[in-house]
Amino acid sequence: GNQTENVITKTLNGQLSSVFQSGSGPITTPDPPIINDNNVIAFSAAHLGRVIAVLPPGRPLMLISASPGPFQSFSSYPALNDADSLAFTAGLSTGGQGIFVKTGNTFNPIVDTTGAFASLSDPSINTLGDVAFWATLDSGGEGIYTGTDIIADKVIQTGDSLLGAAVRRVNFFRGLNNNGQIAFYAETSNGVQGIYRADPVIVQPPLPTPIPEPSTWLLLASGMIGLLSYRCGRWRGHASK
């Protein structure tokens, strides 16, 4: 039916107040909003052709419209960090999709589908400005990534080994924290379903070392093998089933 849409926020005195109204007209299923520590609320109003950020009183409303401009449409569920940066997925006027971050009046492109990605969804952004997202690949399969390189920026994807079994399905939604850790859901080929955490591997620059005595070569070689295996992947996994 015809009704007015509202986004509701709770004020400090415990009262509920309307902070945004779209106006009257046919209503579609609203997308759940997200709120940060600055009392900024963001959501996607696909039937309005906009991503909307409702800012605290005294600040202008942030609207990202589908047209005119580079954006043709918007996907559900934008992400918002405590620096008021807004990450969102958009269909592009030139075709394909892209993920962008809007900070102030600046749009920063993160990734698009002109390369190895077939589709993009569910970006998450932390206060440092790091972005993670779910995507499908032109070559088939799906995964979680943090940039344009499907190898260097991969967190996990179908076909990868996870606790001794191959990943069959992976899902991710706003699962990135300020430590760079990523929480995700995965199903593996042995029928196990679980919630997992991926930790970023921080590679420290090597310290200069003196030339070892011959008796220490074996120990040093073993240490180097361990270091290389640690550095070969960007993420380490932890499981909770």
Side-chain angles (χ1 to χ4, degrees):
N2 291 343
Q3 53 184 297
T4 300
E5 285 187 85
N6 299 288
V7 177
I8 303 297
T9 185
K10 187 175 182 179
T11 61
L12 293 178
N13 61 8
Q15 299 298 313
L16 294 178
S17 61
S18 172
V19 296
F20 177 80
Q21 293 183 331
S22 70
S24 299
I27 187 172
T28 60
T29 303
D31 294 331
I34 185 171
I35 185 169
N36 69 9
D37 289 342
N38 301 322
N39 200 30
V40 176
I41 297 173
F43 64 99
S44 175
H47 60 295
L48 299 178
R50 295 174 176 173
V51 170
I52 299 172
V54 181
L55 305 178
R59 297 175 59 185
L61 191 69
M62 182 192 298
L63 299 177
I64 306 172
S65 297
S67 61
F71 308 125
Q72 185 178 55
S73 61
F74 297 104
S75 298
S76 302
Y77 312 123
L80 182 69
N81 67 12
D82 288 335
D84 297 347
S85 294
L86 187 67
F88 61 93
T89 307
L92 305 178
S93 300
T94 55
Q97 289 180 295
I99 290 177
F100 298 83
V101 172
K102 186 177 192 297
T103 303
N105 295 320
T106 302
F107 289 91
N108 294 314
I110 303 300
V111 64
D112 60 38
T113 54
T114 58
F117 296 113
S119 66
L120 306 166
S121 183
D122 299 331
S124 181
I125 185 169
N126 65 16
T127 300
L128 299 176
D130 300 324
V131 175
F133 57 92
W134 181 91
T136 62
L137 302 176
D138 290 335
S139 57
E142 61 191 36
I144 303 166
Y145 307 88
T146 60
T148 59
D149 192 315
I150 64 171
I151 302 300
D153 298 323
K154 179 184 71 172
V155 178
I156 194 166
Q157 68 183 32
T158 49
D160 285 351
S161 178
L162 182 62
L163 300 183
V167 175
R168 293 192 306 190
R169 182 185 174 200
V170 62
N171 206 348
F172 168 78
F173 181 69
R174 293 177 181 165
L176 172 67
N177 69 12
N178 289 333
N179 294 321
Q181 297 170 310
I182 291 176
F184 63 94
Y185 166 86
E187 297 177 11
T188 51
S189 56
N190 58 0
V192 173
Q193 303 176 13
I195 303 297
Y196 302 86
R197 190 188 78 217
D199 294 344
V201 173
I202 301 174
V203 179
Q204 300 290 345
L207 297 175
T209 56
I211 298 176
E213 296 294 330
S215 61
T216 66
W217 277 112
L218 180 59
L219 178 61
L220 177 60
S222 299
M224 289 179 65
I225 292 172
L227 176 63
L228 289 172
S229 63
Y230 178 80
R231 293 177 59 182
C232 105
R234 187 178 172 188
W235 304 88
R236 293 177 292 171
H238 302 264
S240 175
K241 301 190 288 294

